Amino acid sequence: MFKNINAKGILFRAALPILVLVYMVCLLPILPFLFFNRMDYKKKIKENPLYKSVLVGLLEKHPLLYELSILYWNYPMFGRLYDILPPMKGNVLQVGCGTGLLNKRYRKRSDIRFINLDLNKKALAYGKRKKRFDTYMHANIYNTPLEDHSVDIIIFARCFHHIKNHKRALLECERLLKPHGTIIIIDPIGLYDTTDHGFMNNTMLDGIVWCFNPNSFSSHLVNSISNKLEIESIDFYRQPTVSNYHVHYPHTDVVAIIKRI
């Protein structure tokens, strides 16, 4: 089921040609670098299928560049990235917290206590320096240093496509969640019909990631959860950003809610 963002989405589509033009003009200064990144990636990936592009390496090493890329991919509605999240409160384990953009959004909410987890030390240090969080865990979701049944919500905020083993990750979520706790997955997925199954791909803009369309994401999630987890809903939202409606790579955002039985 696809859901547009109502009146603002309609206005956005009407203004899309102008917005795309502005988008491309702003992109012009970095086009030579993007061209070099593409040529280098296409050459090196033939020698090493796991080769990480120059751009991906820079985004991982420089958190400020990463945040600028978030602005670029979500132009012009920079602040709308997490509008589609359901209500949250309690102890919230944030998988892939990065630089703490989600923490920044909810900084005035005293009823949410984020537990921040990421594998990128530079992003974690940057988020702490910006005072978006006080503490964090440098760890992955497969084996976290947390007690059983210690969190109310686990959120994968636009990082689920980076998790290589979803079955293993969701088993750990099952261990960590309190009874009737919730897993929230919000992630961009492609709008293409090239496959009925999710697959991993090495991309020059985002590294090695899972690629899904709406059907393959839903079936993959069904096959990845244990018998103690139950899918409550899977919805798809076309947010009003240029990248969501880009003619070459159209995508949507999925919001999946999973409950611990």
Side-chain angles (χ1 to χ4, degrees):
M1 180 178 181
F2 288 88
K3 300 181 180 181
N4 284 300
I5 311 297
N6 301 325
K8 289 186 177 179
I10 296 171
L11 290 173
F12 171 81
R13 289 194 297 277
L16 186 59
I18 296 173
L19 292 171
V20 169
L21 179 60
V22 175
Y23 185 76
M24 296 305 295
V25 169
C26 293
L27 184 63
L28 284 175
I30 62 170
L31 278 179
F33 170 75
L34 293 179
F35 178 78
F36 163 77
N37 184 70
R38 180 180 178 83
M39 294 300 102
D40 176 73
Y41 170 81
K42 290 178 70 175
K43 177 182 178 181
K44 300 286 180 60
I45 200 172
K46 292 178 181 178
E47 305 167 3
N48 176 17
L50 301 180
Y51 174 70
K52 186 183 297 182
S53 78
V54 175
L55 178 60
V56 171
L58 287 173
L59 295 178
E60 290 181 353
K61 291 179 182 178
H62 302 284
L64 179 59
L65 288 180
Y66 163 77
E67 293 199 350
L68 290 174
S69 74
I70 296 296
L71 296 179
Y72 166 74
W73 285 114
N74 294 281
Y75 168 84
M77 310 298 283
F78 309 122
R80 300 290 297 275
L81 193 58
Y82 301 117
D83 279 5
I84 55 180
L85 280 174
M88 297 189 296
K89 66 177 180 179
N91 294 327
V92 179
L93 173 61
Q94 184 186 180
V95 182
C97 66
T99 58
L101 293 175
L102 188 64
N103 305 65
K104 182 180 178 181
R105 178 183 176 90
Y106 288 96
R107 62 186 179 277
K108 295 181 180 179
R109 290 280 302 276
S110 60
D111 59 338
I112 297 178
R113 295 171 295 281
F114 280 113
I115 303 167
N116 306 290
L117 181 150
D118 204 285
L119 286 172
N120 189 322
K121 288 184 177 180
K122 291 183 181 295
L124 291 169
Y126 182 88
K128 188 174 182 180
R129 189 163 64 248
K130 289 289 186 178
K131 299 181 179 180
R132 294 172 184 167
F133 40 71
D134 297 321
T135 61
Y136 57 76
M137 293 183 294
H138 178 244
N140 61 41
I141 186 54
Y142 302 138
N143 187 21
T144 64
L146 295 172
E147 297 181 359
D148 293 359
H149 316 309
S150 57
V151 299
D152 300 288
I153 294 173
I154 299 173
I155 182 168
F156 294 82
R158 304 181 78 85
C159 75
F160 196 70
H161 56 290
H162 288 289
I163 307 295
K164 291 181 172 62
N165 190 327
H166 290 137
K167 285 187 177 181
R168 187 178 171 192
L170 291 170
L171 275 176
E172 178 69 356
C173 291
E174 176 192 309
R175 180 185 75 81
L176 295 172
L177 280 174
K178 296 177 182 179
H180 310 296
T182 303
I183 300 169
I184 301 171
I185 300 169
I186 171 175
D187 221 39
I189 61 172
L191 291 176
Y192 45 75
D193 299 319
T194 56
T195 178
D196 292 328
H197 304 282
F199 62 95
M200 296 206 76
N201 188 31
N202 188 357
T203 68
M204 66 177 180
L205 298 179
D206 207 13
I208 299 175
V209 296
W210 278 94
C211 298
F212 295 107
N213 62 21
N215 290 333
S216 61
F217 176 86
S218 299
S219 60
H220 178 83
L221 198 59
V222 169
N223 293 328
S224 297
I225 61 172
S226 68
N227 57 9
K228 291 185 179 180
L229 297 175
E230 184 176 75
I231 297 173
E232 182 176 275
S233 63
I234 301 176
D235 290 307
F236 302 94
Y237 297 82
R238 298 296 307 275
Q239 295 205 78
T241 63
V242 166
S243 57
N244 264 354
Y245 287 84
H246 194 283
V247 291
H248 296 298
Y249 305 103
H251 66 274
T252 186
D253 287 287
V254 61
V255 179
I257 309 296
I258 303 170
K259 290 287 186 179
R260 190 186 191 283
I261 299 172

